[in-house]
Amino acid sequence: MKSKLLLSGIVLFIALSNIYSQKQNFPFSANLKVSEEIKGQFIENGRLYLFLSKNANAEPRTQTWPSPTNKTYIFAKNMEGYQPDGILEIQNDKSWISTATWTLDQVPAGEYYVQILWDQDLNESRIDAPGNLISETQRIVINKPTKVDLFLNQSIAKREIKSHDLAKVVDIKSEILSAWWNKPIQLKASVLLPHGYDNNKAYAIRYNVAGYGGRYTRINYMLNSENFMNWWDSAEAPQVITVFLDGEGPFGDSYQMDSENSGPYGEALIKEFIPYIESKYRGTDESKTRFVDGCSTGGWVSLGLQLYYPDFFNGVYSYSPDAIEFENYQLINIYKDENAFVNEYGYSRPVMRSTNGEPMLSLKEFIQYENVLGASNSYLNSGGQFSAHTALYSPKGENDLPQHLFDPMTGIIDSVVAEHWKKYDFKIHAQKNWQELGPKIQGKIFIWMGDMDNFYLNPATRTFADFLEETENPKSDAEIVFSPMEGHCSEYSHKVVLEKIQQRVNNMETK
């Protein structure tokens, strides 16, 4: 009996010790040096990021998307006059803003992967910009006060696309945007030509818009897919040119639309970029064989381009679009609600869920990630989703930043700014302009949405669909499909969209 009691006591002691050690917190600090080989690339003003990640399978600096499974903690602060010749001591102080609920003096015990990023790029809105400086990832175990040496010794490489006879890059200076910004602004895209491409032939063309922040280099996913390329480079594949538009803009994704903060991206696309691409590759500028598609952000942008430039495109394939009307801006009614973070019942408002309805992340947590990524210590210039939305929908504010719809710390909604957002509320736009718009978009609208969209985007699409059902003169013939128990972009397929476009072209040719 005594031996059993002794054994039980030992087991209990070990268990309590493990629990105690797991709850312990220790100070973390580091000595940061800039390696000799990159000192010549170093710019003294920038934003310093420290990443402490639990994920062993990815570089910590790439783990900036907030999610329940992303156990990466980000610390950031702006620095001016940082000299690369000395040693910078990284330790806890009040200048850091963080996604963590603890400070660098109180890091929970455990295994981490640590990395430093120095954001010195002035051309791109996100921290993965070529020319930003990074350290190698270092594994550490925090079970006591810990200090490590870190070295900024790498530069993020330039973007490139895989070499292929059917793949091209377009990179031009936009005179429209350059005049607006008073500095050179480039527009980029990649082009995937069809099998047997003949530059003397006229082709249908598809403008693909990426999910949030997708770059023109996403063509590499197709080029690296053996199954897709075997199909594409065959006689069975559609004879359609695909243009992968670039998602970069001054505040994150440009959304390819005119903005009081980002500038006339829509005008530049329609009047400059597309005419240039089509004069070089397409062999025609006929709008009847010009289409646009995308999912998520790409779903919103593609539908927006069709609605705001109805004569320019002859069909949209919009999957899981961002909120297309703002009585349902995800779960927020921006015209009536007082707070973005807390709903009318006093509960923290979720921004993400599983397909069985389980909330996974709150909007306040999501916004804090963007606050940390923004040089203003707010989401207004984070380069993230809400940064881009605010830049597109809001009027210009102070310090060359957009006016926020809701306070980045409290979530309180500015009703005056909300009124300004109506310009890009698709339901309001269609209602106001239906007499002229309706006939121009007949036969051109296809929208798909999962009824368990992971970001609560289906209510806005439902409301827009209900409006279209009630239209008269003309009665809308838009095809809007809701799939039960499907999540965000789960049925989106490049191959399916290309086949839909080819079928549409074939139908036009037989009429």
Side-chain angles (χ1 to χ4, degrees):
M1 177 66 71
K2 289 183 179 179
S3 62
K4 288 183 178 180
L5 288 172
L6 179 61
L7 180 60
S8 298
I10 293 171
V11 170
L12 179 60
F13 174 78
I14 293 172
L16 290 173
S17 297
N18 287 337
I19 292 171
Y20 176 73
S21 64
Q22 288 172 7
K23 289 185 176 180
Q24 282 187 301
N25 297 67
F26 299 97
F28 169 84
S29 59
N31 287 328
L32 178 62
K33 300 178 182 178
V34 180
S35 65
E36 290 294 332
E37 56 265 32
I38 64 168
K39 281 185 178 179
Q41 306 171 41
F42 190 88
I43 299 173
E44 65 179 22
N45 297 332
R47 188 166 175 87
L48 186 67
Y49 292 89
L50 167 67
F51 299 87
L52 290 169
S53 177
K54 291 286 191 177
N55 186 356
N57 300 313
E59 271 193 275
R61 68 180 178 91
T62 65
Q63 306 301 293
T64 58
W65 180 261
S67 75
T69 58
N70 181 7
K71 300 301 182 183
T72 299
Y73 306 97
I74 310 172
F75 293 77
K77 63 178 176 179
N78 297 331
M79 297 183 63
E80 293 184 358
Y82 174 20
Q83 297 302 315
D85 293 326
I87 296 174
L88 177 67
E89 186 170 3
I90 294 175
Q91 58 188 356
N92 185 58
D93 64 60
K94 293 182 179 180
S95 62
W96 292 104
I97 180 173
S98 174
T99 63
T101 57
W102 34 264
T103 69
L104 292 177
D105 273 346
Q106 295 288 320
V107 180
E111 180 182 77
Y112 295 89
Y113 297 85
V114 61
Q115 189 175 31
I116 289 287
L117 183 146
W118 177 244
D119 184 1
Q120 61 179 12
D121 170 74
L122 300 176
N123 297 315
E124 294 193 7
S125 61
R126 280 156 284 188
I127 66 173
D128 63 347
N132 281 343
L133 306 179
I134 57 174
S135 69
E136 295 177 0
T137 302
Q138 186 176 145
R139 176 185 172 275
I140 61 173
V141 176
I142 294 181
N143 54 15
K144 59 183 180 181
T146 303
K147 189 169 190 174
V148 299
D149 292 324
L150 297 170
F151 299 88
L152 283 172
N153 58 3
Q154 300 176 30
S155 178
I156 298 177
K158 292 181 179 180
R159 294 184 177 84
E160 295 180 345
I161 71 166
K162 182 178 180 179
S163 178
H164 193 285
D165 289 344
L166 297 179
K168 309 295 179 183
V169 172
V170 180
D171 185 350
I172 69 167
K173 177 185 175 183
S174 167
E175 298 299 335
I176 292 172
L177 287 167
S178 297
W180 196 89
W181 278 99
N182 198 29
K183 66 178 182 179
I185 301 292
Q186 298 294 122
L187 292 175
K188 299 181 177 68
S190 56
V191 180
L192 183 61
L193 301 171
H195 170 79
Y197 172 74
D198 179 354
N199 60 9
N200 294 311
K201 180 181 174 182
Y203 287 91
I205 193 162
R206 164 205 180 205
Y207 290 92
N208 171 259
V209 188
Y212 188 80
R215 305 305 302 268
Y216 67 100
T217 48
R218 67 188 179 279
I219 191 177
N220 288 334
Y221 293 115
M222 263 62 83
L223 298 175
N224 289 325
S225 169
E226 184 176 354
N227 287 339
F228 180 86
M229 291 308 296
N230 285 341
W231 171 73
W232 186 248
D233 199 12
S234 70
E236 289 75 34
Q239 288 289 291
V240 177
I241 295 172
T242 291
V243 176
F244 298 95
L245 296 174
D246 192 41
E248 171 59 18
F251 294 92
D253 203 299
S254 72
Y255 274 65
Q256 312 296 334
M257 302 287 270
D258 291 346
S259 158
E260 292 180 29
N261 296 285
S262 298
Y265 271 83
E267 181 183 359
L269 176 70
I270 301 301
K271 294 183 178 179
E272 278 184 321
F273 202 39
I274 286 178
Y276 176 84
I277 291 169
E278 296 190 359
S279 67
K280 190 171 180 65
Y281 293 109
R282 190 186 175 200
T284 180
D285 61 358
E286 284 189 323
S287 63
K288 70 177 183 179
T289 51
R290 184 186 295 126
F291 306 92
V292 63
D293 82 288
C295 193
S296 191
T297 290
W300 189 98
V301 174
S302 57
L303 182 57
L305 289 173
Q306 184 66 77
L307 293 176
Y308 286 73
Y309 302 96
D311 296 320
F312 197 76
F313 298 96
N314 197 33
V316 58
Y317 301 90
S318 169
Y319 287 73
S320 300
D322 290 357
I324 55 180
E325 58 86 35
F326 300 144
E327 291 178 4
N328 297 280
Y329 181 57
Q330 294 181 285
L331 292 178
I332 309 165
N333 182 335
I334 72 167
Y335 309 122
K336 293 183 179 180
D337 288 335
E338 295 180 354
N339 194 290
F341 295 161
V342 180
N343 69 15
E344 61 186 299
Y345 307 107
Y347 282 88
S348 181
R349 184 172 274 119
V351 72
M352 185 179 180
R353 64 177 172 181
S354 67
T355 51
N356 67 4
E358 193 69 33
M360 299 168 70
L361 189 73
S362 73
L363 177 60
K364 186 173 183 179
E365 291 174 300
F366 192 104
I367 291 298
Q368 184 59 16
Y369 270 82
E370 292 207 21
N371 289 340
V372 172
L373 292 172
S376 62
N377 287 341
S378 77
Y379 67 86
L380 294 180
N381 59 350
S382 69
Q385 185 94 60
F386 287 86
S387 172
H389 284 181
T390 308
L392 179 60
Y393 306 144
S394 289
K396 187 176 284 290
E398 298 177 352
N399 301 318
D400 294 322
L401 294 173
Q403 292 186 36
H404 58 245
L405 172 69
F406 54 86
D407 185 275
M409 302 308 296
T410 67
I412 295 173
I413 293 172
D414 186 326
S415 59
V416 175
V417 175
E419 285 294 308
H420 200 85
W421 280 41
K422 287 182 176 179
K423 176 182 178 182
Y424 282 123
D425 184 315
F426 290 176
K427 187 183 77 170
I428 292 174
H429 173 74
Q431 284 175 327
K432 285 184 175 179
N433 298 284
W434 188 252
Q435 186 174 357
E436 180 181 357
L437 176 64
K440 292 182 177 182
I441 60 173
Q442 287 295 88
K444 296 182 178 182
I445 306 292
F446 173 86
I447 304 172
W448 178 90
M449 176 60 75
D451 246 337
M452 289 301 295
D453 184 88
N454 300 97
F455 300 99
Y456 301 97
L457 299 173
N458 48 306
T461 303
R462 281 281 183 190
T463 301
F464 187 68
D466 290 343
F467 158 72
L468 292 180
E469 280 290 323
E470 297 171 357
T471 55
E472 299 291 344
N473 300 318
K475 175 76 172 178
S476 173
D477 64 356
E479 182 181 356
I480 304 180
V481 177
F482 292 91
S483 294
M485 299 308 295
E486 289 293 337
H488 193 62
C489 292
S490 64
E491 292 188 12
Y492 181 70
S493 162
H494 287 279
K495 185 176 179 179
V496 168
V497 170
L498 284 160
E499 289 173 336
K500 285 178 180 287
I501 291 172
Q502 185 64 69
Q503 185 60 52
R504 180 80 178 276
V505 173
N506 293 344
N507 291 341
M508 285 190 288
E509 291 175 348
T510 57
K511 288 182 179 179

